[in-house]
Amino acid sequence: MSARMSTQGDIAVIGAGLVGSALALGLARTGARVTLVDAAADDFHASAANFGLVWVQGKGLGAPDYAALSFRAAQTWDGFAADLVQATGISPAYRRTGGVRIALDEAELERTRANLARLHNQPGGAQDTEILDRDALRALLPGIGPEAVGAAYCPHDGHADPLMTLRALRAMLETRATIVPMQVTRVRPARAGFVIEGDTGRIQAERVVLAAGLGNVALGPDLGLHAPVRPQRGQILITERLPPFLDLATHTVRQTADGTVMMGDSKEDAGFDRGTTQAVARDIAARAVRSFPALARARLVRSWSGLRVMSPDGLPIYQASATHPGAYLVTCHSGVTLASLHAGEVAHAIADDALDARYPEFAPTRFEVAA
Amino acid sequence: MSKVIDLCVIGAGPAGLAAAARAAQGGLNVLLLDEQPAAGGQVWRNAGAALAGGSMPAAQAEKAYHGAAAALRRLAASGVDHRAGATLIDIAAPETAPGPGPEAVVEITWRAPSRAEAPRIRQTAAGAVICATGAQERPLIFPGAELPGVMGVGAIQSAYKQSGLVPGGEGVVLAGHGPLLLLTLAQIRAAGGRVAAVLDLGAPGAMAAVARTLPRALIGDPALMARGAGLMLRRALSGVPVYRRVTGLRAHGADSIEAVSFSSAGRATRLPARLLGVHDGVIPNAQVSRLLNLRHVWDAGQGAFLPVRDTDGAVAPGIWLVGDGAGIGGAEIAAMEGEQAARAALARAGRGPDVQGPAARHLTRRRAARRLVEALYPPVPMGAYATDDALICRCETVRVADVRAVLGTGIDGPNRVKAMTRCGMGPCQGRLCANPLTRLISAETGRSPDAVGALRIRPPLKPVLLMDYLAPETMPEVSA
Amino acid sequence: MSLFRRSGPPAGAITITVDGRAVPACAGDTVATAMLAAGYDAIGAHVKSGRPSAPWCLIGVCFGCQCSIDGAPDAQACLVPARDGMVVETPQPLTDKEGKA
């Protein structure tokens, strides 16, 4: 559909990555007429660069609500994935395999252990993450290398294929929403609702959700929405297809349903530069080979960078505009893990105009607290 | 990283050989990296051995390798450090290296041919880089194309030049169009081989024009025509059944090709086939120019994206792209471009005046002549044989239908299609599907190739064993 | 019967080993041309389907001839000069390799 003709809908979602697409699906299921504005030319940015973990363990230290949110997300992913497969025949390849954070020396293991102990002392979230010693880890992962001294194991962790998840969401939205490709330049309040202006035209909607990742920074202020997010670069390496050897998810290495092995978990502040650097790539590869020595004989096929959408405390930002009712902002760096909730309870909260009431702890007002 | 060598030349075909030798003669120390076992590129593949009395008869070698002997002698005398079998893995352009300008270095990551040569991955800091990575055949998309026994006509040429191999026995079929196809036909027949049929997939009348245009198209050398190539080609087709107005091309077989079926002028035909040589022209090998994230413009004549270059081939401070890898022109144009870039590199290093060589005017004329040739051999239209069940990405077994299925609102560019289908994610890293994918999307959506764009290319340029990747070492001073 | 035959004067005879079998070759061959001359239709395997794959380009582009050579599992046979005593292992495709060569 061309954006030149003004589209009138109940609600427009700006951003067609995993966050925007999941929200759009959830909103469409509530009966809303949804317009999904796809604002990135020939790219899915963060969603296509994602590592694909559905991850619970270690999340939400000092933020019990985030721990609980992640846990609920993992618990609802099975149903979310089943819905996508049933409706589209496209599998997001979600597997709730359990996940391990591998420690390659005692200091790492001690840090993981301390973090876990602190998490256990706060309410909310999964409480059954356990520390595995060397032998227990070896029993769980026969391919693990001799340097691994232990790990944290959480049975609720898993992994999915972010691209197939996005593809399935997209296929569902083709018939449930109006998708408009448009580079959005501005969203402004209008007499009745909002006007979304872009390179190919304008769209009117009664309500609007900003789900444009790093793009939310520029779009938010006109609507009284505040997203102090910054890019954090993560590099990912991927190998050729290998015979299955690693079912479990780990936080640095995972074998996809296709057999390829992804390696990642780097964190760099590099602005908006999506380039790759060999120094970081080698660190990632070195850790992967130390974890799983058989990978030494695997072929590295490709590497890429993605920009995580990081808030100051790493938690999602869910906000309803106080000054412009009907305008919302949703952003997070865990678009895969939280996809099941974005298509479910979070979309419902927006539909009910209860986003700030139901998620007060994820409002950006938390960043305004005096130091 | 501090500069180790003055100039790195990548690719030892006509362009790279000319560039390396010229730069070395001008006083630069030059590292010449080439993936092939011996210098010469594709047009002069194995020239050194063949001219010395190797795999093919001496008279044929002289014809096939016109110009090669001089280029190889010049290389040998130049003091260039030539590394055969060296694979380019990554280039970090000056914009990501410290400060652009004459002092900037380009970081080249490459792989030595053997695991015995530890460390296998080397990093070389070069003051300048001339990329001459040559051409590849344009894959023709049709069902069954991935079966063993279906190969590019260029591969048949390659086997001939490397080892004197000629298709033998029954069931040899050639399908396609253009000079290389007819040259291959002539070579097979000259060597006593049989070709069961030729399927002419080209523009009407183009096959007959080959004899006029072949010499220039291939190596730009009028002298070759004088030596009888034209006559050889005119005779090549005599006695071989030629099928025209071909539709519905399909290769059949279980583990290798057993038959080819098609309709010619509306009549369904099925021929037994053990070897199907296919040719739809050649295109630049775009991996380097895409890795460098250069601006490209679609060239309708070549049916390919070409990197946008300065007149001397420069694409960035200290980086030049020359030869067929930057736009198909043939060996003579390639060599001239190599010379020109080397002169520019010398000037930049303060080793000579920044003047265009005497070849500049000649180069302009040659390029104009090349355009006339291109007009005769436009690429086979994308829709001609690309049925739903044809593979567009053989590595990942992605069918044309898979691409068509995801194309829709907002999914209309190669990188989104790649994300949705895995097209281009296999070991060849898009070398075989990038050009067809742009053309397929263009045909399906009605948008221009420029609007559609191309697959992004990420390092490493070739798959690398992790154990090699983990042990790189900065190359020590080269012996120059 | 081989798809290809040698047209030129005989070059120095060498022997390579492919999947444990001695294969005659000539000095100047690449591993890929040596195998084509010896009657191997396929050399590699398609990474996804596992089906046999063959050289399409013979210039290092298509990866149809990817195999293990002298223990290096990432070789492209068309880029590696054949040397006497070289050990080649082809990926194991879904189909039986017996009766080849």
Side-chain angles (χ1 to χ4, degrees):
Chain A
M1 145 149 312
S2 164
R4 263 179 220 98
M5 270 187 287
S6 177
T7 307
Q8 197 97 32
D10 294 346
I11 190 157
V13 178
I14 316 295
L18 278 169
V19 174
S21 297
L23 287 168
L25 176 62
L27 287 164
R29 284 166 153 178
T30 68
R33 280 187 305 142
V34 178
T35 303
L36 178 64
V37 184
D38 185 349
D42 196 23
D43 210 335
F44 288 113
H45 291 186
S47 295
N50 204 295
F51 195 65
L53 296 179
V54 177
W55 203 249
V56 177
Q57 69 163 281
K59 277 183 177 170
L61 185 61
D65 293 304
Y66 182 47
L69 188 77
S70 301
F71 187 35
R72 284 206 304 284
Q75 288 176 306
T76 48
W77 241 97
D78 261 324
F80 171 62
D83 285 350
L84 292 180
V85 175
Q86 191 178 10
T88 67
I90 299 163
S91 170
Y94 171 63
R95 290 172 291 157
R96 189 172 179 161
T97 54
V100 291
R101 169 177 283 270
I102 297 165
L104 291 178
D105 57 46
E106 291 296 341
E108 275 185 19
L109 189 60
E110 199 40 55
R111 279 197 298 276
T112 302
R113 196 194 307 271
N115 191 46
L116 193 60
R118 289 201 294 274
L119 270 167
H120 280 177
N121 291 332
Q122 70 177 35
Q127 295 291 344
D128 42 4
T129 301
E130 56 179 311
I131 295 290
L132 305 180
D133 64 12
R134 186 186 285 270
D135 291 342
L137 177 59
R138 201 142 281 114
L140 193 64
L141 293 174
I144 197 83
E147 288 188 62
V149 296
Y153 169 80
C154 172
H156 308 293
D157 293 336
H159 45 146
D161 183 334
L163 297 176
M164 287 304 111
T165 305
L166 193 58
R167 183 176 170 189
L169 283 169
R170 189 82 177 198
M172 286 190 81
L173 289 166
E174 289 281 349
T175 55
R176 291 168 175 82
T178 304
I179 301 176
V180 179
M182 184 169 84
Q183 305 286 311
V184 177
T185 50
R186 190 178 168 212
V187 182
R188 60 178 173 82
R191 188 181 296 267
F194 301 88
V195 172
I196 298 131
E197 299 174 344
D199 60 341
T200 53
R202 57 175 57 184
I203 295 163
Q204 266 185 282
E206 290 163 25
R207 301 196 291 162
V208 64
V209 182
L210 300 186
L214 295 165
N216 285 347
V217 178
L219 295 175
D222 284 348
L223 304 175
L225 296 167
H226 183 50
V229 289
R230 64 181 171 83
Q232 182 194 59
R233 187 164 78 181
Q235 298 192 32
I236 293 181
L237 313 182
I238 194 156
T239 71
E240 64 185 323
R241 290 163 194 273
L242 301 174
F245 77 98
L246 178 61
D247 186 41
L248 267 70
T250 88
H251 73 296
T252 54
V253 181
R254 77 177 190 94
Q255 186 169 30
T256 70
D258 298 307
T260 60
V261 176
M262 295 175 85
M263 299 165 276
D265 202 36
S266 68
K267 298 178 178 72
E268 297 169 88
D269 287 310
F272 287 84
D273 179 359
R274 294 176 66 207
T276 53
T277 59
Q278 291 198 16
V280 171
R282 288 212 170 81
D283 285 347
I284 293 170
R287 188 174 176 98
V289 171
R290 287 169 68 201
S291 300
F292 299 98
L295 286 175
R297 292 182 67 78
R299 283 176 287 252
L300 169 66
V301 172
R302 201 166 54 255
S303 64
W304 66 86
S305 274
L307 301 177
R308 293 187 191 89
V309 184
M310 287 304 287
S311 63
D313 56 7
L315 272 53
I317 299 174
Y318 295 160
Q319 185 188 13
S321 174
T323 54
H324 298 85
Y328 311 89
L329 182 146
V330 174
T331 186
C332 69
H333 80 279
S334 35
V336 176
T337 299
L338 298 179
S340 59
L341 295 188
H342 288 155
E345 61 171 58
V346 178
H348 279 278
I350 292 171
D352 298 345
D353 193 25
L355 193 64
D356 45 353
R358 288 183 202 165
Y359 303 100
E361 61 283 358
F362 298 128
T365 47
R366 68 185 189 268
F367 306 122
E368 293 157 16
V369 176
Chain B
M1 184 181 275
S2 60
K3 188 177 90 171
V4 177
I5 55 158
D6 296 325
L7 174 68
C8 182
V9 176
I10 297 159
L17 287 174
R22 165 64 61 209
Q25 285 164 354
L28 300 185
N29 65 346
V30 180
L31 175 67
L32 173 59
L33 301 176
D34 186 46
E35 193 169 35
Q36 303 297 331
Q42 297 314 324
V43 65
W44 295 335
R45 168 175 285 276
N46 204 32
L51 289 165
S55 57
M56 70 175 73
Q60 256 157 299
E62 273 300 327
K63 271 187 197 171
Y65 293 121
H66 180 79
L72 294 176
R73 272 197 305 272
R74 194 174 166 211
L75 174 72
S78 67
V80 167
D81 180 8
H82 168 224
R83 304 294 177 97
T87 300
L88 182 66
I89 298 299
D90 197 4
I91 298 183
E95 63 216 31
T96 54
E103 291 311 307
V105 294
V106 186
E107 204 177 297
I108 314 285
T109 306
W110 55 284
R111 179 176 59 193
S114 165
R115 297 220 73 242
E117 298 174 54
R120 202 172 171 209
I121 299 286
R122 316 281 177 94
Q123 281 180 325
T124 300
V129 178
I130 296 176
C131 299
T133 51
Q136 64 168 74
E137 279 186 277
R138 181 201 325 277
L140 182 72
I141 306 301
F142 66 97
E146 72 283 4
L147 284 170
V150 180
M151 54 201 318
V153 152
I156 297 174
Q157 282 285 312
S158 185
Y160 178 65
K161 290 174 178 171
Q162 187 71 44
S163 297
L165 300 190
V166 179
E170 303 298 314
V172 177
V173 178
L174 301 180
H177 65 116
L180 201 62
L181 183 104
L182 217 54
L183 177 70
T184 303
L185 174 68
Q187 284 169 343
I188 294 171
R189 301 195 73 197
R194 290 182 45 165
V195 173
V198 170
L199 315 187
D200 179 1
L201 310 183
M207 191 74 88
V210 163
R212 277 191 285 120
T213 58
L214 167 84
R216 285 181 186 186
L218 280 187
I219 51 178
D221 177 10
L224 186 67
M225 187 130 79
R227 287 201 300 271
L231 184 66
M232 177 178 84
L233 290 173
R234 279 194 294 278
R235 286 178 181 165
L237 280 166
S238 69
V240 177
V242 178
Y243 294 87
R244 297 201 164 82
R245 288 188 284 154
V246 172
T247 57
L249 176 66
R250 180 178 288 268
H252 306 263
D255 284 344
S256 60
I257 184 172
E258 290 156 18
V260 55
S261 70
F262 56 91
S263 288
S264 172
R267 218 163 101 188
T269 306
R270 186 181 174 107
L271 303 172
R274 296 178 61 241
L275 179 67
L276 176 62
V278 178
H279 189 64
D280 188 21
V282 296
I283 54 176
N285 181 334
Q287 300 301 104
V288 169
S289 60
R290 285 291 170 191
L291 178 76
L292 291 171
N293 220 5
L294 303 177
R295 194 163 79 84
H296 290 68
V297 173
W298 185 259
D299 185 296
Q302 300 194 5
F305 281 111
L306 307 185
V308 176
R309 301 182 292 164
D310 290 350
T311 48
D312 63 5
V315 293
I319 304 184
W320 290 263
L321 257 58
V322 295
D324 279 359
I328 304 302
E332 193 189 7
I333 288 174
M336 286 189 275
E337 289 187 0
E339 289 269 351
Q340 202 171 52
R343 285 174 198 277
L346 284 163
R348 189 166 182 274
R351 300 266 191 162
D354 190 4
V355 291
Q356 293 199 321
R361 252 190 17 237
H362 195 46
L363 183 53
T364 309
R365 269 206 312 275
R366 277 275 164 267
R367 283 181 177 145
R370 173 77 204 171
R371 286 297 181 194
L372 298 177
V373 174
E374 281 164 13
L376 271 173
Y377 310 110
V380 172
M382 190 63 212
Y385 309 105
T387 53
D388 268 353
D389 61 337
L391 294 188
I392 187 158
C393 169
R394 54 178 72 199
C395 295
E396 289 288 334
T397 317
V398 179
R399 294 178 194 286
V400 168
D402 299 328
V403 174
R404 286 179 174 144
V406 299
L407 288 176
T409 318
I411 311 285
D412 50 10
N415 295 295
R416 285 195 157 190
V417 168
K418 174 183 176 181
M420 300 284 99
T421 64
R422 298 189 59 83
C423 182
M425 288 190 182
C428 98
Q429 298 159 311
R431 286 169 171 85
L432 292 192
C433 65
N435 178 284
L437 183 59
T438 292
R439 294 165 66 222
L440 178 64
I441 295 172
S442 175
E444 294 287 316
T445 63
R447 295 155 72 232
S448 70
D450 281 312
V452 168
L455 283 179
R456 206 178 285 117
I457 298 303
R458 305 288 201 197
L461 281 172
K462 286 261 175 110
V464 182
L465 287 174
L466 283 175
M467 59 184 164
D468 290 340
Y469 191 68
L470 289 178
E473 188 171 280
T474 301
M475 259 262 296
E477 204 74 40
V478 290
S479 50
Chain C
M1 196 183 80
S2 173
L3 289 180
F4 290 90
R5 61 181 180 78
R6 295 184 188 271
S7 67
I14 59 172
T15 303
I16 63 173
T17 303
V18 179
D19 297 331
R21 182 176 309 183
V23 171
C26 292
D29 287 347
T30 61
V31 171
T33 61
M35 287 178 71
L36 285 175
Y40 282 81
D41 292 355
I43 296 177
H46 289 287
V47 292
K48 183 172 182 189
S49 65
R51 302 201 56 83
S53 72
W56 180 84
C57 74
L58 284 179
I59 64 170
V61 165
C62 74
F63 284 76
C65 65
Q66 190 166 262
C67 59
S68 169
I69 299 179
D70 281 350
D74 61 339
Q76 290 177 272
C78 68
L79 295 176
V80 179
R83 292 198 184 87
D84 198 42
M86 205 165 230
V87 176
V88 179
E89 289 160 89
T90 65
Q92 290 309 305
L94 296 177
T95 50
D96 186 15
K97 292 183 93 66
E98 292 306 308
K100 204 167 260 177

